Amino acid sequence: MVACSRRPVSVTGSRVRAAKGQGGLLRNQLLDIADQLLEAGGADALTIRAVATSAGVSPPSVYLHFASKRELVHATCLRVWSSLFAELEAVSRKIPDPVTALYETCVAYIAFGLRHPSQYRLVMVGEATEASRQNEDACFRYFRDKVIACVDAGVPVTSSTETARVLCAGVHGAVSLLIHQERDVWPPDSGRYVRRAASSAVHGALLTASHTFRPSMADVTQSG
């Protein structure tokens, strides 16, 4: 794993103090600051003290909302990840072809991971274990539902669960390959990379869903 770079973090702007009874507002403001810290400097930059300093409050005020740094990290990651499924549905809802809808879903998933590398690392491969369990399960069930839609449309799939696992491995790998490296080694055309990785994941998972075979030169040189 290549360590991500750490830059000095500066979160500007003064906080408007929440009125009595508006603790939820303060909590959201703290999460806004935590998200900025995480994006700018990674998990090391996201501390209770750093959030308190940026918010203009004392650390005990932050502890009223988050019992520990881990709880703060969980909440920050989960808030970002909650937007993922809305994005996935938005891109696939109006596409009648379930395979194309699955492809667009994979494109959106990979693009999301590349836009939020810090949160993705923490949730999928890092210390945010509670967030990890929730999101890994939700992502798997979401992709399995999309595979089942393909089955209902006539795609030959022996096991929707196994196929969903293969599909998840493909899109997760596409994200992980890049977010554990410095950005200067990312493909120059990240959009093309995302689309090709999504296409590879969908084709690989569905074409081998009813049987497995050993690829050969004949398979890749044949033209339609």
Side-chain angles (χ1 to χ4, degrees):
M1 180 186 301
V2 180
C4 59
S5 60
R6 294 287 183 261
R7 302 184 300 276
V9 180
S10 174
V11 180
T12 59
S14 60
R15 179 181 66 81
V16 177
R17 292 188 179 276
K20 185 176 181 180
Q22 292 184 308
L25 177 60
L26 173 58
R27 187 178 191 275
N28 285 332
Q29 291 170 338
L30 294 175
L31 286 172
D32 288 339
I33 292 170
D35 188 62
Q36 294 176 53
L37 289 166
L38 185 59
E39 287 285 0
D44 291 343
L46 179 50
T47 66
I48 296 291
R49 182 171 297 278
V51 171
T53 299
S54 297
V57 299
S58 64
S61 296
V62 180
Y63 279 115
L64 289 174
H65 298 276
F66 308 101
S68 64
K69 174 184 174 178
R70 173 163 291 195
E71 185 176 314
L72 175 61
V73 170
H74 287 168
T76 305
C77 290
L78 286 171
R79 190 173 69 154
V80 171
W81 276 77
S82 67
S83 67
L84 169 62
F85 298 101
E87 290 185 29
L88 298 183
E89 277 301 291
V91 301
S92 65
R93 186 183 301 118
K94 297 181 180 180
I95 301 176
D97 183 333
V99 176
T100 302
L102 178 60
Y103 162 76
E104 294 295 346
T105 295
C106 290
V107 169
Y109 179 93
I110 297 171
F112 171 88
L114 298 185
R115 286 200 314 275
H116 304 285
S118 294
Q119 289 89 342
Y120 194 95
R121 280 193 300 269
L122 283 168
V123 170
M124 301 303 282
V125 296
E127 66 179 20
T129 54
E130 179 183 330
S132 299
R133 285 192 296 271
Q134 293 182 32
N135 283 285
E136 287 173 357
D137 181 63
C139 287
F140 172 76
R141 286 187 284 106
Y142 186 89
F143 279 112
R144 185 174 60 186
D145 288 345
K146 292 299 182 183
V147 170
I148 291 174
C150 294
V151 175
D152 292 342
V155 177
V157 172
T158 302
S159 169
S160 58
T161 296
E162 178 185 272
T163 301
R165 288 196 185 104
V166 172
L167 185 69
C168 287
V171 295
H172 173 63
V175 176
S176 298
L177 178 67
L178 297 192
I179 65 173
H180 288 117
Q181 302 184 59
E182 301 291 349
R183 284 185 178 269
D184 59 3
V185 300
W186 285 26
D189 187 346
S190 59
R192 182 177 187 275
Y193 169 82
V194 169
R195 293 188 298 273
R196 185 174 181 186
S199 179
S200 176
V202 172
H203 280 88
L206 295 184
L207 290 178
T208 60
S210 59
H211 65 281
T212 58
F213 61 93
R214 185 174 65 182
S216 68
M217 280 295 295
D219 297 321
V220 297
T221 56
Q222 289 176 346
S223 58

